[in-house]
C-alpha cells in the first residue's frame, strides 16, 4: 500500500490562456478600407468597402468567404447596414447623381435592389427583419426634420412619428416588427424609444440630465444604445420590467452599445481620450469584456468597434490590422468549448533508481511528453508523491513543478522501496490528465 506523504495543488490560474475567438479578416476587395456592421445566424455578414476614391460600395460575406460586392451595386455609391435570416439586405444607394440623393434600399437575390423612397430628400435603411420590413429614417422635407419609418414590402413608408419633437430615427427592427430608435422630445431632449405595431412609440426614458439613443433590438424586445451627458457616454440595455441598465463596468471614459442578440449579449465599443477605441462584449456573467483580450495577440489585430452579434456568438465590426491606415472588417468566431484533456504520451523520472541507500536526499527530475488539441503548452506539475513503505520525516520534498528530493533509503527487511510520483497536466481550459512514474530504492542491485 502506498503511503501519501507530499501533496501540492495544481494552481487554478494557468500560465497560458487560449483565446476565446478566432479572427477572420473579411478583406477590402479592391478598396482602401472595409467595415462589417451586421451578421445573421447563418454567418452572412453585411457591410461596405471604401474605394481608393473614398466612395463606398455595399458588401457582403457568405459561406465563410471574405467580402464581395452586392450584385447590382458594384458601381453605385452604396452601403449595406443589416442582413436578415434569408440573407436579404437593408442599406442605402445613390439614386440621383444630379442631386446626389441617397435612398433606403432593400436587396434580395430574387428581386435585386429596390428603392424604398423617402419623405423628401435622403433616406437611410438601417435594419431588416425576416419579413423584409426595413426600418430607417428619412429627411421629412427639411434638413431640420427627420422621421423614423418602417418600409413593409408592397407598402409605402410608414412614418413612426416622434416623442413630441421635430425628429426621430429608427436603427433596428426585430422579427415581430418592433423598432428601436430615438426621438427628440417636446423639451428638446433625446429619448430612446421602442415602437410596437398597434401600440406606437414607447418612451424608454432616461436618467436625469442624460439623453438616450436606441440602436439595437432583439427578439425579447430588449433595446441597447447609449446614455449621454455633457460628462460621459455609457452603453445601456433596456429590459421590460427592469428599465434602463447602465452597462458601463470598465475604467474607460466612454462606451456605446450597438447590437444585442436574443441571449442578451451586447456588443459595442469603449474608449478613453487619446487612445484607440476598443470593441467590447457585455454579458451578465462577465460584464464588459474588451474583445482584444479574447483573441490571440499575435494575430495582429486591434478590434476597435463591434457592430453586430448573432445568436451563435459570432461578432463583426471594424479594427486595424498590422498598423494599416484604414479600418478593416473582421468577424470573430468563438472557439469550440475545450473539453478534451491533454494527451500524456509518456513520463519518465531521472534518476529512476536510487543507489546506494545511504540516506542521502537525491534530486529527481520528471519529464513529460504531453500535447493538447487546443492548448500549445499544457502545464504539468508533480501533484503527489507516495511511498510503498513508511518513511522518515523529510524523506520526500517536492522542490519544483517537476522536481522532487527523495531519500535514498529502504527498510532493511523489505524487498525495496518504490516511490510513486503522480503528475497532473492541465490545459488552459482547466482539463486535466494524470500519469505516474516510479523511482526505486532496491534491497540490493541483484534485484535489477
Amino acid at each position: 500500500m502506498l503511503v501519501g506523504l507530499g501533496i501540492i495543488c495544481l494552481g487554478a490560474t494557468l500560465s497560458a490562456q487560449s483565446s476565446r475567438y478566432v479572427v477572420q479578416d473579411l478583406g477590402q476587395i479592391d478598396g482602401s478600407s472595409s467595415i462589417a456592421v451586421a451578421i445573421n445566424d447563418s454567418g452572412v455578414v453585411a457591410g461596405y468597402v471604401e474605394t481608393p476614391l473614398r466612395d463606398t460600395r455595399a458588401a457582403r460575406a457568405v459561406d465563410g468567404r471574405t467580402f464581395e460586392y452586392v450584385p447590382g451595386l458594384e458601381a453605385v455609391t452604396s452601403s449595406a447596414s443589416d442582413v436578415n435570416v434569408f440573407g436579404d439586405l437593408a442599406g442605402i444607394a445613390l439614386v440621383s447623381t444630379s442631386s446626389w440623393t441617397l435612398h433606403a434600399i432593400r436587396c434580395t437575390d430574387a428581386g435585386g435592389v429596390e428603392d424604398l423612397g423617402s419623405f423628401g430628400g435622403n433616406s437611410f435603411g438601417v435594419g431588416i427583419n425576416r419579413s423584409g420590413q426595413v426600418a430607417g429614417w428619412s429627411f421629412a422635407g427639411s434638413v431640420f426634420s427627420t422621421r423614423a419609418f418602417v418600409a413593409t414590402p408592397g407598402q409605402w413608408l410608414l412614418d413612426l412619428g416622434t416623442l413630441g419633437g421635430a425628429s426621430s430615427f429608427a436603427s433596428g427592427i426585430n422579427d415581430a416588427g418592433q423598432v428601436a430608435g430615438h426621438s427628440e422630445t417636446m423639451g428638446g431632449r433625446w429619448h430612446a424609444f421602442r415602437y410596437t405595431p398597434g401600440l406606437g412609440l414607447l418612451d424608454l426614458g432616461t436618467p436625469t440630465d442624460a439623453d438616450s439613443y436606441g440602436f439595437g433590438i432583439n427578439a425579447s424586445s430588449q433595446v441597447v444604445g447609449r446614455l449621454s451627458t455633457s460628462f460621459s457616454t455609457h452603453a445601456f440595455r433596456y429590459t421590460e420590467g427592469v428599465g434602463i441598465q447602465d452597462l458601463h463596468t470598465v475604467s474607460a471614459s466612454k462606451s456605446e452599445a450597438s447590437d444585442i442578440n436574443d441571449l442578451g449579449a451586447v456588443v459595442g465599443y469603449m474608449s478613453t481620450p487619446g487612445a484607440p477605441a476598443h470593441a467590447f462584449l457585455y454579458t451578465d456573467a462577465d460584464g464588459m469584456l474588451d474583445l482584444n483580450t479574447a483573441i490571440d495577440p499575435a494575430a495582429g489585430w486591434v478590434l476597435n468597434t463591434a457592430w453586430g452579434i448573432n445568436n451563435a456568438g459570432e461578432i463583426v465590426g471594424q479594427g486595424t490590422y498590422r498598423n494599416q491606415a484604414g479600418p478593416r472588417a473582421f468577424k470573430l468566431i468563438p472557439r469550440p468549448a475545450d473539453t478534451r484533456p491533454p494527451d500524456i504520451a509518456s513520463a519518465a523520472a531521472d534518476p529512476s533508481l536510487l543507489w546506494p541507500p545511504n540516506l542521502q536526499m537525491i534530486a529527481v527530475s520528471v519529464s513529460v511528453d504531453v500535447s493538447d488539441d487546443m492548448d500549445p503548452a499544457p502545464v504539468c506539475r508533480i501533484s503527489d508523491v507516495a511511498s510503498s513503505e513508511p518513511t522518515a520525516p523529510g524523506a520526500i520534498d517536492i522542490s519544483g513543478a517537476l522536481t522532487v528530493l527523495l531519500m535514498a533509503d529502504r527498510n532493511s527487511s523489505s524487498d525495496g522501496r518504490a516511490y510513486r510520483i503522480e503528475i497532473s497536466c492541465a490545459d488552459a481550459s482547466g482539463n486535466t490528465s494524470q500519469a505516474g512514474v516510479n523511482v526505486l530504492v532496491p534491497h540490493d542491485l541483484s534485484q535489477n
Side-chain angles (χ1 to χ4, degrees):
M1 180 176 179
L2 295 178
V3 181
L5 295 177
I7 299 176
I8 63 170
C9 295
L10 187 67
T13 301
L14 304 176
S15 60
Q17 293 292 331
S18 60
S19 56
R20 292 175 54 173
Y21 296 92
V22 175
V23 188
Q24 180 189 357
D25 181 1
L26 295 178
Q28 297 174 317
I29 312 180
D30 56 359
S32 59
S33 64
S34 59
I35 295 175
V37 295
I39 182 170
N40 70 10
D41 286 345
S42 298
V44 179
V45 182
Y48 58 92
V49 171
E50 186 177 85
T51 72
L53 297 178
R54 297 201 173 278
D55 200 3
T56 60
R57 297 287 185 270
R60 66 179 179 181
V62 299
D63 298 329
R65 299 195 297 267
T66 56
F67 266 158
E68 302 168 345
Y69 289 133
V70 174
L73 296 173
E74 300 94 333
V76 179
T77 299
S78 57
S79 66
S81 56
D82 198 14
V83 56
N84 70 9
V85 65
F86 303 113
D88 303 330
L89 303 171
I92 59 171
L94 184 68
V95 296
S96 172
T97 56
S98 61
S99 60
W100 200 256
T101 300
L102 296 164
H103 275 183
I105 56 172
R106 179 190 298 113
C107 299
T108 65
D109 287 335
V113 180
E114 180 184 357
D115 182 351
L116 300 181
S118 75
F119 296 135
N122 293 335
S123 63
F124 300 84
V126 184
I128 187 170
N129 65 12
R130 68 180 299 121
S131 300
Q133 292 180 301
V134 173
W137 57 276
S138 170
F139 287 104
S142 166
V143 295
F144 302 105
S145 177
T146 63
R147 287 289 191 277
F149 69 74
V150 170
T152 301
Q155 299 180 26
W156 183 240
L157 301 184
L158 173 65
D159 186 341
L160 301 187
T162 74
L163 294 173
S167 295
S168 60
F169 297 84
S171 303
I173 185 169
N174 64 18
D175 288 344
Q178 293 181 303
V179 176
H182 43 276
S183 170
E184 196 175 13
T185 67
M186 188 173 295
R189 304 305 295 265
W190 287 92
H191 283 196
F193 69 72
R194 185 182 66 210
Y195 167 85
T196 301
L199 298 177
L201 299 182
L202 172 67
D203 187 341
L204 302 186
T206 186
T208 304
D209 297 328
D211 293 316
S212 59
Y213 302 83
F215 298 131
I217 187 169
N218 67 6
S220 300
S221 307
Q222 292 178 297
V223 173
V224 294
R226 75 169 189 259
L227 300 170
S228 296
T229 69
S230 56
F231 302 104
S232 65
T233 299
H234 284 188
F236 80 82
R237 181 180 62 193
Y238 173 91
T239 304
E240 193 71 40
V242 177
I244 285 182
Q245 176 189 2
D246 188 336
L247 303 183
H248 197 89
T249 60
V250 292
S251 59
S253 60
K254 178 180 180 180
S255 63
E256 181 173 307
S258 53
D259 197 20
I260 180 171
N261 69 11
D262 293 342
L263 302 176
V266 180
V267 294
Y269 74 91
M270 54 187 177
S271 63
T272 298
H278 277 197
F280 76 76
L281 167 69
Y282 175 91
T283 62
D284 290 332
D286 298 329
M288 191 173 283
L289 171 72
D290 183 342
L291 285 169
N292 290 279
T293 67
I295 64 172
D296 183 351
W301 281 87
V302 176
L303 309 178
N304 299 125
T305 304
W307 290 115
I309 181 171
N310 66 13
N311 290 324
E314 296 175 317
I315 298 169
V316 295
Q318 69 186 72
T320 54
Y321 180 64
R322 300 201 182 281
N323 297 317
Q324 293 179 356
R328 197 174 184 97
F330 69 79
K331 176 181 177 181
L332 297 185
I333 304 168
R335 291 186 183 275
D338 182 10
T339 58
R340 181 176 174 178
D343 178 23
I344 300 177
S346 63
D350 182 25
S352 60
L353 183 71
L354 306 185
W355 190 263
N358 56 6
L359 305 184
Q360 296 298 306
M361 297 296 290
I362 307 300
V364 177
S365 298
V366 176
S367 60
V368 186
D369 182 2
V370 61
S371 61
D372 188 77
D373 59 340
M374 296 186 70
D375 185 354
V379 177
C380 298
R381 287 179 168 82
I382 296 173
S383 58
D384 184 25
V385 181
S387 172
S388 62
E389 59 186 21
T391 60
I396 298 172
D397 180 12
I398 297 175
S399 55
L402 290 173
T403 59
V404 61
L405 296 172
L406 299 177
M407 183 178 289
D409 188 20
R410 82 285 189 273
N411 292 344
S412 59
S413 61
S414 73
D415 292 333
R417 174 178 300 178
Y419 289 108
R420 179 68 175 180
I421 302 174
E422 299 293 341
I423 304 143
S424 181
C425 295
D427 62 22
S429 298
N431 303 302
T432 61
S433 296
Q434 285 75 39
V437 294
N438 291 328
V439 176
L440 302 179
V441 187
H443 182 269
D444 58 67
L445 287 182
S446 66
Q447 294 179 339
N448 297 282

